[in-house]
Amino acid sequence: MSRISACLIAMALPLAAAAAPESYTFDPVHTICHFAVSHLGYSTLWGRFDKSGGKITIDRAAKSGVLEITVQTASVSTGDSDRGSRPRSRDEHLRSSDFLNVAEFPTMTYKSRTLRFNGENLASVEGELTLIGVTRPLTLTVDAWKCGPHPVSKKEMCGGNASGHLKRSDYGMKFLQTNVGDDYRIFVGFEAYRD
């Protein structure tokens, strides 16, 4: 092999490596799914799911990728876990068959169909949410996106915020639908480290 050929191959290797898809694993401590819903038309009730995990694979050159996240439904929290003199707390009620039915459906999953980019930044994720056994399309708008080395550990990471809307009745949750809103706003803050 000539010196010129060897030099060209050596120069092309970093470009090929940069174009390869990169996989990241969500950091469960810094990835939280929040929701907001109207409560009796008076106020907005906020809640979150404290346990989730997943992966995202990004091909920056092709502007494509795959995302999958799994949420433990029993980790739902609205700040009301103390039942006091009531038969159950709000969080216990949300775990029941009236809402999330965590005994039968311990997880919900979101799987992407398409990742859309605006330049170098992830702009939206078109995918499907499976919740209490029903799978429906759900698009998340990526409101913030950043990749780079973690300022302390120096490990390569990506993170951001995404938001979307869903109707709980589309997933079969119809209990108190007219009182406790049907339209849920979804907010996901996420950080993921490169594998």
mmCIF file of all heavy atoms in Angstrom, residues 72-101:
data_model
loop_
_atom_site.group_PDB
_atom_site.id
_atom_site.type_symbol
_atom_site.label_atom_id
_atom_site.label_comp_id
_atom_site.label_asym_id
_atom_site.label_seq_id
_atom_site.Cartn_x
_atom_site.Cartn_y
_atom_site.Cartn_z
ATOM 1 N N GLN A 72 -42.026 2.997 35.237
ATOM 2 C CA GLN A 72 -42.672 2.156 36.238
ATOM 3 C C GLN A 72 -43.916 2.904 36.742
ATOM 4 O O GLN A 72 -43.799 3.931 37.408
ATOM 5 C CB GLN A 72 -41.719 1.873 37.397
ATOM 6 C CG GLN A 72 -40.402 1.246 36.978
ATOM 7 C CD GLN A 72 -40.568 -0.073 36.269
ATOM 8 O OE1 GLN A 72 -41.348 -0.921 36.707
ATOM 9 N NE2 GLN A 72 -39.860 -0.254 35.173
ATOM 10 N N THR A 73 -45.101 2.407 36.404
ATOM 11 C CA THR A 73 -46.332 3.141 36.705
ATOM 12 C C THR A 73 -46.590 3.265 38.210
ATOM 13 O O THR A 73 -47.194 4.243 38.655
ATOM 14 C CB THR A 73 -47.538 2.495 36.010
ATOM 15 O OG1 THR A 73 -47.596 1.104 36.341
ATOM 16 C CG2 THR A 73 -47.451 2.661 34.500
ATOM 17 N N ALA A 74 -46.123 2.313 39.012
ATOM 18 C CA ALA A 74 -46.341 2.391 40.462
ATOM 19 C C ALA A 74 -45.545 3.528 41.093
ATOM 20 O O ALA A 74 -45.797 3.892 42.243
ATOM 21 C CB ALA A 74 -45.985 1.066 41.131
ATOM 22 N N SER A 75 -44.610 4.124 40.349
ATOM 23 C CA SER A 75 -43.803 5.217 40.890
ATOM 24 C C SER A 75 -44.497 6.568 40.766
ATOM 25 O O SER A 75 -43.900 7.605 41.040
ATOM 26 C CB SER A 75 -42.435 5.261 40.203
ATOM 27 O OG SER A 75 -42.533 5.730 38.866
ATOM 28 N N VAL A 76 -45.793 6.571 40.397
ATOM 29 C CA VAL A 76 -46.537 7.828 40.262
ATOM 30 C C VAL A 76 -46.592 8.546 41.609
ATOM 31 O O VAL A 76 -46.755 7.924 42.660
ATOM 32 C CB VAL A 76 -47.959 7.597 39.695
ATOM 33 C CG1 VAL A 76 -48.843 6.830 40.659
ATOM 34 C CG2 VAL A 76 -48.590 8.911 39.278
ATOM 35 N N SER A 77 -46.426 9.862 41.566
ATOM 36 C CA SER A 77 -46.469 10.665 42.785
ATOM 37 C C SER A 77 -47.075 12.022 42.476
ATOM 38 O O SER A 77 -46.654 12.700 41.534
ATOM 39 C CB SER A 77 -45.054 10.855 43.347
ATOM 40 O OG SER A 77 -45.079 11.751 44.441
ATOM 41 N N THR A 78 -48.065 12.399 43.274
ATOM 42 C CA THR A 78 -48.671 13.731 43.148
ATOM 43 C C THR A 78 -48.510 14.524 44.440
ATOM 44 O O THR A 78 -49.125 15.570 44.610
ATOM 45 C CB THR A 78 -50.170 13.628 42.805
ATOM 46 O OG1 THR A 78 -50.841 12.952 43.880
ATOM 47 C CG2 THR A 78 -50.399 12.918 41.494
ATOM 48 N N GLY A 79 -47.702 14.011 45.359
ATOM 49 C CA GLY A 79 -47.520 14.677 46.638
ATOM 50 C C GLY A 79 -48.579 14.311 47.648
ATOM 51 O O GLY A 79 -48.663 14.919 48.712
ATOM 52 N N ASP A 80 -49.409 13.315 47.336
ATOM 53 C CA ASP A 80 -50.463 12.903 48.256
ATOM 54 C C ASP A 80 -50.385 11.393 48.455
ATOM 55 O O ASP A 80 -51.117 10.628 47.837
ATOM 56 C CB ASP A 80 -51.840 13.295 47.725
ATOM 57 C CG ASP A 80 -52.967 12.909 48.680
ATOM 58 O OD1 ASP A 80 -52.688 12.637 49.869
ATOM 59 O OD2 ASP A 80 -54.116 12.879 48.231
ATOM 60 N N SER A 81 -49.467 10.958 49.311
ATOM 61 C CA SER A 81 -49.327 9.531 49.580
ATOM 62 C C SER A 81 -49.765 9.153 50.993
ATOM 63 O O SER A 81 -49.781 7.993 51.345
ATOM 64 C CB SER A 81 -47.878 9.098 49.362
ATOM 65 O OG SER A 81 -47.025 9.829 50.232
ATOM 66 N N ASP A 82 -50.143 10.160 51.791
ATOM 67 C CA ASP A 82 -50.602 9.916 53.166
ATOM 68 C C ASP A 82 -52.125 9.880 53.182
ATOM 69 O O ASP A 82 -52.781 10.886 52.920
ATOM 70 C CB ASP A 82 -50.078 11.035 54.081
ATOM 71 C CG ASP A 82 -50.465 10.820 55.528
ATOM 72 O OD1 ASP A 82 -50.908 9.707 55.881
ATOM 73 O OD2 ASP A 82 -50.308 11.778 56.312
ATOM 74 N N ARG A 83 -52.690 8.731 53.467
ATOM 75 C CA ARG A 83 -54.145 8.613 53.392
ATOM 76 C C ARG A 83 -54.858 9.271 54.565
ATOM 77 O O ARG A 83 -56.025 9.625 54.458
ATOM 78 C CB ARG A 83 -54.562 7.168 53.190
ATOM 79 C CG ARG A 83 -54.546 6.287 54.390
ATOM 80 C CD ARG A 83 -55.133 4.928 54.112
ATOM 81 N NE ARG A 83 -54.388 4.184 53.129
ATOM 82 C CZ ARG A 83 -54.296 2.880 53.109
ATOM 83 N NH1 ARG A 83 -54.897 2.172 54.021
ATOM 84 N NH2 ARG A 83 -53.616 2.276 52.187
ATOM 85 N N GLY A 84 -54.192 9.452 55.686
ATOM 86 C CA GLY A 84 -54.858 10.078 56.831
ATOM 87 C C GLY A 84 -56.110 9.308 57.198
ATOM 88 O O GLY A 84 -56.091 8.092 57.346
ATOM 89 N N SER A 85 -57.254 9.995 57.303
ATOM 90 C CA SER A 85 -58.516 9.338 57.665
ATOM 91 C C SER A 85 -59.285 8.843 56.442
ATOM 92 O O SER A 85 -60.345 8.252 56.578
ATOM 93 C CB SER A 85 -59.383 10.311 58.467
ATOM 94 O OG SER A 85 -59.695 11.445 57.669
ATOM 95 N N ARG A 86 -58.755 9.097 55.241
ATOM 96 C CA ARG A 86 -59.427 8.649 54.007
ATOM 97 C C ARG A 86 -59.160 7.166 53.762
ATOM 98 O O ARG A 86 -58.164 6.621 54.231
ATOM 99 C CB ARG A 86 -58.913 9.457 52.803
ATOM 100 C CG ARG A 86 -59.133 10.951 52.934
ATOM 101 C CD ARG A 86 -58.431 11.709 51.824
ATOM 102 N NE ARG A 86 -56.977 11.545 51.981
ATOM 103 C CZ ARG A 86 -56.092 11.906 51.084
ATOM 104 N NH1 ARG A 86 -56.469 12.429 49.938
ATOM 105 N NH2 ARG A 86 -54.802 11.740 51.304
ATOM 106 N N PRO A 87 -59.999 6.519 52.959
ATOM 107 C CA PRO A 87 -59.761 5.100 52.672
ATOM 108 C C PRO A 87 -58.491 4.870 51.846
ATOM 109 O O PRO A 87 -57.892 3.802 51.916
ATOM 110 C CB PRO A 87 -61.003 4.652 51.908
ATOM 111 C CG PRO A 87 -61.748 5.889 51.553
ATOM 112 C CD PRO A 87 -61.249 7.002 52.416
ATOM 113 N N ARG A 88 -58.072 5.879 51.072
ATOM 114 C CA ARG A 88 -56.834 5.765 50.288
ATOM 115 C C ARG A 88 -56.359 7.165 49.900
ATOM 116 O O ARG A 88 -57.146 8.106 49.802
ATOM 117 C CB ARG A 88 -57.031 4.904 49.042
ATOM 118 C CG ARG A 88 -58.044 5.458 48.065
ATOM 119 C CD ARG A 88 -58.272 4.516 46.929
ATOM 120 N NE ARG A 88 -59.420 4.968 46.154
ATOM 121 C CZ ARG A 88 -60.033 4.249 45.241
ATOM 122 N NH1 ARG A 88 -59.621 3.041 44.981
ATOM 123 N NH2 ARG A 88 -61.061 4.728 44.596
ATOM 124 N N SER A 89 -55.063 7.262 49.643
ATOM 125 C CA SER A 89 -54.503 8.537 49.194
ATOM 126 C C SER A 89 -54.755 8.700 47.690
ATOM 127 O O SER A 89 -55.140 7.743 47.000
ATOM 128 C CB SER A 89 -52.997 8.571 49.466
ATOM 129 O OG SER A 89 -52.324 7.659 48.599
ATOM 130 N N ARG A 90 -54.530 9.903 47.186
ATOM 131 C CA ARG A 90 -54.680 10.130 45.741
ATOM 132 C C ARG A 90 -53.703 9.254 44.959
ATOM 133 O O ARG A 90 -54.061 8.670 43.932
ATOM 134 C CB ARG A 90 -54.473 11.606 45.402
ATOM 135 C CG ARG A 90 -54.625 11.875 43.903
ATOM 136 C CD ARG A 90 -54.568 13.343 43.530
ATOM 137 N NE ARG A 90 -53.427 14.007 44.106
ATOM 138 C CZ ARG A 90 -53.504 15.146 44.802
ATOM 139 N NH1 ARG A 90 -54.655 15.732 45.027
ATOM 140 N NH2 ARG A 90 -52.409 15.698 45.296
ATOM 141 N N ASP A 91 -52.458 9.160 45.430
ATOM 142 C CA ASP A 91 -51.479 8.336 44.711
ATOM 143 C C ASP A 91 -51.908 6.872 44.676
ATOM 144 O O ASP A 91 -51.758 6.191 43.650
ATOM 145 C CB ASP A 91 -50.091 8.478 45.335
ATOM 146 C CG ASP A 91 -49.496 9.865 45.118
ATOM 147 O OD1 ASP A 91 -50.056 10.650 44.319
ATOM 148 O OD2 ASP A 91 -48.459 10.163 45.739
ATOM 149 N N GLU A 92 -52.464 6.367 45.771
ATOM 150 C CA GLU A 92 -52.981 4.993 45.788
ATOM 151 C C GLU A 92 -54.130 4.853 44.787
ATOM 152 O O GLU A 92 -54.225 3.843 44.081
ATOM 153 C CB GLU A 92 -53.462 4.615 47.189
ATOM 154 C CG GLU A 92 -52.342 4.417 48.183
ATOM 155 C CD GLU A 92 -52.838 4.209 49.600
ATOM 156 O OE1 GLU A 92 -53.840 4.857 49.999
ATOM 157 O OE2 GLU A 92 -52.232 3.404 50.312
ATOM 158 N N HIS A 93 -55.004 5.862 44.719
ATOM 159 C CA HIS A 93 -56.120 5.816 43.778
ATOM 160 C C HIS A 93 -55.606 5.805 42.338
ATOM 161 O O HIS A 93 -56.120 5.069 41.490
ATOM 162 C CB HIS A 93 -57.066 6.989 44.007
ATOM 163 C CG HIS A 93 -58.368 6.841 43.284
ATOM 164 N ND1 HIS A 93 -59.230 7.885 43.102
ATOM 165 C CD2 HIS A 93 -58.961 5.766 42.678
ATOM 166 C CE1 HIS A 93 -60.290 7.473 42.415
ATOM 167 N NE2 HIS A 93 -60.149 6.193 42.153
ATOM 168 N N LEU A 94 -54.594 6.612 42.055
ATOM 169 C CA LEU A 94 -54.033 6.628 40.692
ATOM 170 C C LEU A 94 -53.431 5.283 40.303
ATOM 171 O O LEU A 94 -53.421 4.925 39.127
ATOM 172 C CB LEU A 94 -52.976 7.731 40.557
ATOM 173 C CG LEU A 94 -53.516 9.154 40.562
ATOM 174 C CD1 LEU A 94 -52.369 10.158 40.576
ATOM 175 C CD2 LEU A 94 -54.430 9.402 39.367
ATOM 176 N N ARG A 95 -52.964 4.525 41.274
ATOM 177 C CA ARG A 95 -52.384 3.197 40.986
ATOM 178 C C ARG A 95 -53.468 2.134 40.777
ATOM 179 O O ARG A 95 -53.193 1.047 40.293
ATOM 180 C CB ARG A 95 -51.460 2.781 42.128
ATOM 181 C CG ARG A 95 -50.215 3.629 42.226
ATOM 182 C CD ARG A 95 -49.278 3.169 43.357
ATOM 183 N NE ARG A 95 -48.221 4.123 43.517
ATOM 184 C CZ ARG A 95 -48.108 4.970 44.546
ATOM 185 N NH1 ARG A 95 -48.987 4.930 45.547
ATOM 186 N NH2 ARG A 95 -47.116 5.830 44.598
ATOM 187 N N SER A 96 -54.706 2.453 41.130
ATOM 188 C CA SER A 96 -55.805 1.481 41.069
ATOM 189 C C SER A 96 -56.293 1.267 39.636
ATOM 190 O O SER A 96 -55.875 1.955 38.706
ATOM 191 C CB SER A 96 -56.975 1.952 41.945
ATOM 192 O OG SER A 96 -57.702 2.979 41.285
ATOM 193 N N SER A 97 -57.253 0.366 39.489
ATOM 194 C CA SER A 97 -57.817 0.062 38.163
ATOM 195 C C SER A 97 -58.648 1.212 37.605
ATOM 196 O O SER A 97 -58.966 1.222 36.415
ATOM 197 C CB SER A 97 -58.659 -1.217 38.215
ATOM 198 O OG SER A 97 -59.705 -1.065 39.152
ATOM 199 N N ASP A 98 -59.002 2.202 38.435
ATOM 200 C CA ASP A 98 -59.701 3.377 37.916
ATOM 201 C C ASP A 98 -58.800 4.197 36.992
ATOM 202 O O ASP A 98 -59.302 4.914 36.121
ATOM 203 C CB ASP A 98 -60.160 4.294 39.061
ATOM 204 C CG ASP A 98 -61.326 3.715 39.841
ATOM 205 O OD1 ASP A 98 -62.048 2.857 39.296
ATOM 206 O OD2 ASP A 98 -61.495 4.125 41.009
ATOM 207 N N PHE A 99 -57.484 4.116 37.220
ATOM 208 C CA PHE A 99 -56.556 4.926 36.436
ATOM 209 C C PHE A 99 -55.448 4.060 35.819
ATOM 210 O O PHE A 99 -55.636 3.507 34.747
ATOM 211 C CB PHE A 99 -55.964 6.051 37.301
ATOM 212 C CG PHE A 99 -56.987 7.088 37.711
ATOM 213 C CD1 PHE A 99 -57.600 7.029 38.948
ATOM 214 C CD2 PHE A 99 -57.349 8.102 36.843
ATOM 215 C CE1 PHE A 99 -58.549 7.968 39.329
ATOM 216 C CE2 PHE A 99 -58.297 9.052 37.199
ATOM 217 C CZ PHE A 99 -58.894 8.984 38.450
ATOM 218 N N LEU A 100 -54.306 3.925 36.471
ATOM 219 C CA LEU A 100 -53.136 3.276 35.867
ATOM 220 C C LEU A 100 -53.142 1.752 35.952
ATOM 221 O O LEU A 100 -52.409 1.099 35.213
ATOM 222 C CB LEU A 100 -51.854 3.815 36.507
ATOM 223 C CG LEU A 100 -51.575 5.287 36.233
ATOM 224 C CD1 LEU A 100 -50.468 5.802 37.134
ATOM 225 C CD2 LEU A 100 -51.230 5.497 34.772
ATOM 226 N N ASN A 101 -53.929 1.195 36.845
ATOM 227 C CA ASN A 101 -54.026 -0.263 36.993
ATOM 228 C C ASN A 101 -52.636 -0.914 37.044
ATOM 229 O O ASN A 101 -52.296 -1.788 36.250
ATOM 230 C CB ASN A 101 -54.861 -0.852 35.856
ATOM 231 C CG ASN A 101 -55.278 -2.283 36.130
ATOM 232 O OD1 ASN A 101 -55.017 -2.837 37.202
ATOM 233 N ND2 ASN A 101 -55.920 -2.899 35.144
#
